[in-house]
Amino acid sequence: AAPRHHPTHPALLFASAPPKEALSGEKARLGDLQRLLRMRQQSMIGQVAALYPVKVFHDLPHGRNLNSNTNGAHRSLSEENGTLPEENGTHLLNVIKLPQIHALTFLGWQIGKQRRKQNDICEKDLQRSAAVLGYAAHAILLIASYLHVPLRYPLHFGGSRSYVSDCLPSAETASIASAERTCINMTDPKLTVYPLFVECQEDDPTKASYAIYLLHKDTEQLLNYIGAESSGRRVFDNLQELIRIIQSDEYVYS
Amino acid sequence: MKAPAAAAAAVGNRAGGVDPSIPRFKCQECHRALVVVGVDSFADKLPAQATSAHASSVHGSIMGASRMDNSYVVLSKQNKSHGHGIPPRPPSAAAPHIEPNQPTRAMEGSYIVLPPAAASIYKTSTSEGGGAQLPPPSINSSSLLPGNSFHSNVTVLKRAFEIATSQTQVEQPMCLDCMRLLSDKMDKEIEDVNADIKAYEVCLQHLEQESHTVLSDAGFQKEKLKIEEEEKKLNAAIEEAEKQYSEISSEMKDLEIKSKEFEELEERYWHEFNSFQFQLTSHQEERDAILAKIEVSQVHLELLKQTNVLNDAFYISHDGVIGTINNFRLGRLPNVQVEWDEINAAWGQAALLLHTMAQYFTPKFEYRIKIHPMGSYPRVTDIHKNTYELFGPVNLFWSTRFDKAMTWFLTCLQDFAEFAISLDKENNVPPEKSLKLPYKIDGDKVGSHTIFLSFNKVENWTKALKYTLCNLKWVLYWFIGNTSFAPPSGSLCAAQSSKR
């Protein structure tokens, strides 16, 4: 307060101090509490990252997938062990190695070349894609719940049969009926669900592609929530960046 | 003064010209028409000759006159009847002026009451002889001719009124009401003049008395000096008062300046008060917002503290007699159909959990039976390097590979449990606090129920699966209690550097 030559109300001079002091105390308390909260979030999301490690390969190892039999798959796992011996969750890397855009290409590639490959290869690759997307969905669900962020496109985790919901009604009622037939615990009729998997090689990948797009929007929402921006249209790049920022010191002391 | 009377006479002449029998006079005060009667009897009184009827009438008048004061003109009833068509005035309209000391009788019509001066003059004329005032030839001529007689009457009245006016300084003629008012007024004036006379006499007496106390020159000079000194004192008092006035004026000016300053101070105070109030409100709102944020953060932190990631990601429970993991039912009943997608998802999560725990303790834990999580399509590799699918759908009557996968899963779970128990021994954990699976695992049996699906009842198979999940839950709780399960920062940095 500015000094006055005629302090007619001295009580006001004393009264002006307590609110600011109390305010600074409350601010400090809030700051400490938020730091504790962020540290707890950091720890928990670190465990989610340990549970679902995310590695993005920009070059798809096509050669390894050409082998079709069980022994081939086993050898592929051995090779993975050899290349990354010190990584935790080494075997999971073999599972989560299909980035979104590459997954699309991969699915297209597989569909395009179905006649030249055995049925076992197609089925297994579809299983891998569905597994990766399911794990990503579960990771995003857990991270969103720990950040206390309601997702704009709700996720239903069903392992390799996970779904993304869109609140807008779909023009294709047949699509809704088809999607709802395989839904688990989908009770809200206003939600349109899109599968994060392709049932078989004959399925149309359009719905799965849109589901991946919605999953990407969810990762973008989480990034925006912590003050970061989305980079491109890749689910796993966003997920990796999200985990990196949360694990950094700037997140706790921001 | 005489002009109005002349005008009245002129009017009378014109009226006489129009109708000689009706003469008109007006009261000079209220300007009302007057009716003058009794002049004939007065005129007839002077000549001695008269008829017998007239003689009796004259006699009556003379007798009345002798008994009454000379100020009255007595009117007779007979004369009025011979009024030449003049409309009579009501008797009540005229109030007679009655002398208290004189007995009177009721009179009809109106009469003229002359002031005392006029009365005295009139009396003198009477005593001298009334005939002397009027020339005898005119009387004779008027008595002979009726027209001439009326003219002479009017002339007489005019002269009488002129004389009265000149004597009394009051315009004549006047009616009785105005005459009475005038009389009262003159009486009051007389009283005032008498009072003034008395006052003047008193003053004269005072002057005569005071004249004896005339001051001498010496006394006058002394009085003059005294008064001059008093004047000086008064002037000094005036100067003193003026000085005080100027002092008080300047003081008042100072007070006005201070008053303005106080007003400015008060305005500034209110501005500061309002500003402070605004700041106080802002601070209170900010504090309330911060307190709300604190409460929300506290609740959120408390919730996160009570949440375990592994328990959250692999929540193991049951739905009746069917075990569940992450709300995925593992098993089915004859009356409860569970799709393979759900069973596969449940096995997928169980495989991921067991693999995560085993991987965490590798290489200390000899991870000889490998679990390969891949969503809803997990696989198990046995000690002989054979890989089996741990997912359906499979044929109820021929599910050899699925049965083997489940059996090897049980074996791996048993291996990890034994490893946990050995670790507790190594850490000197008391036997009662060490891990102990609630359902014994022996080959393909868990809790005395085979986990095989082939040639087995779905109820028994589902029960075996539930026991398996329960054992897995106990192992998970041991794992949670004995590890922090967080990636080392070095490992994370290494991962990032390897990516770059």
Side-chain angles (χ1 to χ4, degrees):
Chain A
R4 286 173 291 178
H5 301 286
H6 302 274
T8 54
H9 290 270
L12 293 180
L13 299 178
F14 299 103
S16 64
K20 293 186 176 180
E21 291 177 357
L23 207 56
S24 63
E26 300 296 343
K27 281 184 175 178
R29 186 176 160 208
L30 177 64
D32 293 342
L33 199 55
Q34 285 184 338
R35 255 192 306 282
L36 287 176
L37 181 62
R38 289 204 178 98
M39 288 171 65
R40 179 65 185 168
Q41 287 172 339
Q42 191 180 63
S43 168
M44 296 177 76
I45 292 172
Q47 294 183 30
V48 173
L51 191 59
Y52 296 113
V54 179
K55 293 290 180 293
V56 176
F57 300 94
H58 294 287
D59 296 325
L60 189 65
H62 297 277
R64 296 172 185 173
N65 290 276
L66 294 179
N67 301 316
S68 60
N69 54 23
T70 307
N71 291 333
H74 179 66
R75 186 166 59 253
S76 173
L77 291 174
S78 300
E79 290 172 2
E80 287 292 337
N81 289 336
T83 54
L84 301 169
E86 299 179 359
E87 292 289 342
N88 274 342
T90 302
H91 293 91
L92 284 179
L93 294 180
N94 188 41
V95 177
I96 308 177
K97 68 175 187 178
L98 301 177
Q100 173 238 327
I101 188 168
H102 291 187
L104 289 176
T105 307
F106 188 76
L107 291 175
W109 176 73
Q110 278 300 311
I111 293 171
K113 300 185 176 183
Q114 61 183 356
R115 297 185 182 85
R116 298 189 294 105
K117 302 303 175 182
Q118 299 181 15
N119 189 40
D120 185 49
I121 295 180
C122 299
E123 185 176 357
K124 194 161 189 182
D125 291 329
L126 293 179
Q127 288 173 356
R128 288 175 182 275
S129 304
V132 168
L133 293 171
Y135 285 155
H138 196 205
I140 290 167
L141 261 178
L142 292 171
I143 294 173
S145 73
Y146 300 153
L147 294 179
H148 214 285
V149 176
L151 291 173
R152 189 173 300 117
Y153 304 104
L155 294 172
H156 171 76
F157 175 60
S160 298
R161 292 290 181 268
S162 301
Y163 292 87
V164 184
S165 302
D166 191 353
C167 297
L168 296 178
S170 172
E172 303 177 358
T173 55
S175 173
I176 295 173
S178 174
E180 284 179 355
R181 183 178 56 83
T182 55
C183 286
I184 301 173
N185 298 330
M186 280 293 175
T187 57
D188 192 342
K190 295 184 179 178
L191 292 177
T192 305
V193 291
Y194 296 92
L196 283 165
F197 57 89
V198 175
E199 282 284 359
C200 56
Q201 52 185 334
E202 289 82 23
D203 264 2
D204 180 13
T206 305
K207 288 187 293 183
S209 301
Y210 190 64
I212 294 171
Y213 169 75
L214 294 183
L215 192 66
H216 152 72
K217 297 298 287 182
D218 281 337
T219 59
E220 186 179 39
Q221 181 189 352
L222 293 177
L223 277 172
N224 292 343
Y225 176 80
I226 64 173
E229 291 192 358
S230 173
S231 59
R233 295 166 55 97
R234 298 164 181 254
V235 172
F236 297 98
D237 286 343
N238 281 355
L239 193 52
Q240 188 181 45
E241 179 70 3
L242 178 67
I243 293 171
R244 184 196 70 78
I245 290 174
I246 292 176
Q247 297 302 309
S248 65
D249 288 343
E250 63 184 89
Y251 177 73
V252 173
Y253 297 101
S254 62
Chain B
M1 294 292 290
K2 298 180 180 180
V11 169
N13 289 335
R14 283 197 296 267
V18 173
D19 189 356
S21 65
I22 305 172
R24 293 298 182 105
F25 290 97
K26 284 186 176 180
C27 177
Q28 299 303 305
E29 288 291 328
C30 59
H31 298 286
R32 288 189 299 173
L34 289 176
V35 177
V36 182
V37 296
V39 177
D40 293 345
S41 62
F42 178 78
D44 292 343
K45 180 182 177 182
L46 297 178
Q49 60 184 358
T51 60
S52 63
H54 288 288
S56 64
S57 171
V58 168
H59 181 70
S61 298
I62 293 169
M63 292 175 65
S66 64
R67 293 183 295 179
M68 298 171 69
D69 195 268
N70 291 328
S71 65
Y72 291 95
V73 176
V74 178
L75 303 178
S76 66
K77 186 181 296 184
Q78 294 177 2
N79 286 338
K80 184 172 182 180
S81 64
H82 295 286
H84 302 288
I86 300 171
R89 293 181 66 183
S92 61
H97 181 78
I98 302 170
E99 291 290 342
N101 57 350
Q102 291 293 336
T104 59
R105 62 184 180 86
M107 300 176 69
E108 296 179 356
S110 63
Y111 56 90
I112 299 172
V113 177
L114 297 176
S120 62
I121 294 170
Y122 194 76
K123 182 186 294 181
T124 305
S125 300
T126 306
S127 62
E128 289 176 355
Q133 293 187 354
L134 298 174
S138 65
I139 294 172
N140 293 334
S141 63
S142 65
S143 63
L144 293 174
L145 298 175
N148 291 337
S149 174
F150 182 79
H151 182 71
S152 66
N153 289 341
V154 170
T155 303
V156 168
L157 284 175
K158 283 175 63 179
R159 284 187 58 81
F161 289 146
E162 288 174 2
I163 292 168
T165 300
S166 62
Q167 291 293 324
T168 61
Q169 302 298 325
V170 176
E171 289 291 334
Q172 295 290 339
M174 293 178 73
C175 63
L176 292 178
D177 293 337
C178 294
M179 188 66 72
R180 192 178 303 105
L181 287 176
L182 184 61
S183 176
D184 291 341
K185 189 186 297 182
M186 294 187 75
D187 289 341
K188 286 182 181 177
E189 288 182 3
I190 287 169
E191 288 178 2
D192 289 343
V193 169
N194 287 334
D196 287 343
I197 289 170
K198 288 182 181 177
Y200 283 129
E201 288 178 353
V202 169
C203 288
L204 286 173
Q205 289 179 6
H206 281 299
L207 281 175
E208 289 175 355
Q209 291 178 2
E210 288 181 1
S211 63
H212 297 302
T213 61
V214 174
L215 294 174
S216 63
D217 285 346
F220 177 78
Q221 289 296 331
K222 189 185 295 181
E223 286 291 330
K224 183 182 174 184
L225 288 177
K226 190 193 300 182
I227 289 171
E228 283 178 356
E229 286 184 0
E230 190 171 356
E231 184 179 355
K232 285 180 182 178
K233 288 181 182 178
L234 289 176
N235 283 334
I238 286 172
E239 288 180 0
E240 182 66 21
E242 284 184 352
K243 188 185 297 182
Q244 287 185 3
Y245 173 79
S246 65
E247 286 179 358
I248 289 173
S249 291
S250 66
E251 190 173 343
M252 179 168 285
K253 193 177 296 182
D254 289 342
L255 287 177
E256 282 182 359
I257 291 173
K258 285 189 177 181
S259 176
K260 285 187 178 180
E261 287 182 357
F262 280 132
E263 284 181 358
E264 289 176 1
L265 282 180
E266 185 176 3
E267 187 171 354
R268 193 188 310 170
Y269 160 73
W270 282 116
H271 281 140
E272 290 179 355
F273 178 80
N274 289 334
S275 176
F276 173 80
Q277 281 285 63
F278 179 76
Q279 286 185 15
L280 184 62
T281 304
S282 297
H283 285 148
Q284 283 173 348
E285 288 174 357
E286 192 175 350
R287 182 194 61 191
D288 293 341
I290 289 174
L291 290 176
K293 284 184 181 178
I294 286 175
E295 190 173 350
V296 169
S297 297
Q298 230 158 16
V299 170
H300 194 192
L301 181 59
E302 208 59 36
L303 184 67
L304 291 187
K305 281 182 176 178
Q306 295 170 8
T307 301
N308 179 269
V309 174
L310 290 173
N311 194 48
D312 200 32
F314 305 105
Y315 181 66
I316 298 177
S317 180
H318 63 274
D319 181 6
V321 298
I322 306 179
T324 62
I325 179 168
N326 275 7
N327 295 318
F328 302 137
R329 290 171 292 180
L330 188 58
R332 68 162 62 98
L333 297 177
N335 59 338
V336 177
Q337 293 300 314
V338 178
E339 295 189 4
W340 275 106
D341 279 348
E342 187 171 348
I343 295 175
N344 292 345
W347 270 124
Q349 288 301 106
L352 180 60
L353 173 55
L354 184 53
H355 169 78
T356 301
M357 294 189 290
Q359 186 70 33
Y360 184 87
F361 280 102
T362 302
K364 190 164 188 178
F365 169 67
E366 189 184 358
Y367 195 13
R368 57 195 186 101
I369 302 172
K370 293 282 176 50
I371 308 291
H372 307 287
M374 197 171 80
S376 302
Y377 310 106
R379 290 173 172 85
V380 183
T381 301
D382 63 5
I383 55 180
H384 310 299
K385 307 302 179 183
N386 298 316
T387 302
Y388 304 97
E389 295 79 18
L390 188 58
F391 57 88
V394 295
N395 192 300
L396 283 180
F397 301 101
W398 187 251
S399 58
T400 306
R401 296 181 63 82
F402 186 57
D403 291 342
K404 285 186 178 179
M406 290 189 288
T407 304
W408 284 114
F409 183 91
L410 276 179
T411 306
C412 183
L413 181 57
Q414 177 67 18
D415 282 357
F416 190 81
E418 288 171 354
F419 165 80
I421 293 171
S422 67
L423 212 61
D424 284 346
K425 284 181 182 177
E426 193 173 317
N427 295 328
N428 297 321
V429 175
E432 61 274 12
K433 292 189 177 179
S434 178
L435 173 65
K436 183 177 179 358
L437 293 183
Y439 301 101
K440 186 176 183 300
I441 297 177
D442 183 10
D444 65 316
K445 287 185 170 58
V446 52
S448 306
H449 288 272
T450 177
I451 202 167
F452 276 13
L453 178 60
S454 305
F455 308 108
N456 193 5
K457 293 183 176 179
V458 290
E459 300 93 326
N460 293 336
W461 177 57
T462 301
K463 186 164 295 194
L465 293 174
K466 181 179 177 182
Y467 293 166
T468 302
L469 284 180
C470 192
N471 284 342
L472 186 60
K473 184 172 181 179
W474 278 63
V475 172
L476 173 59
Y477 282 178
W478 175 89
F479 185 81
I480 291 173
N482 287 270
T483 65
S484 59
F485 188 67
S489 58
S491 172
L492 188 61
C493 292
Q496 294 180 358
S497 62
S498 67
K499 174 184 178 302
R500 297 193 185 89

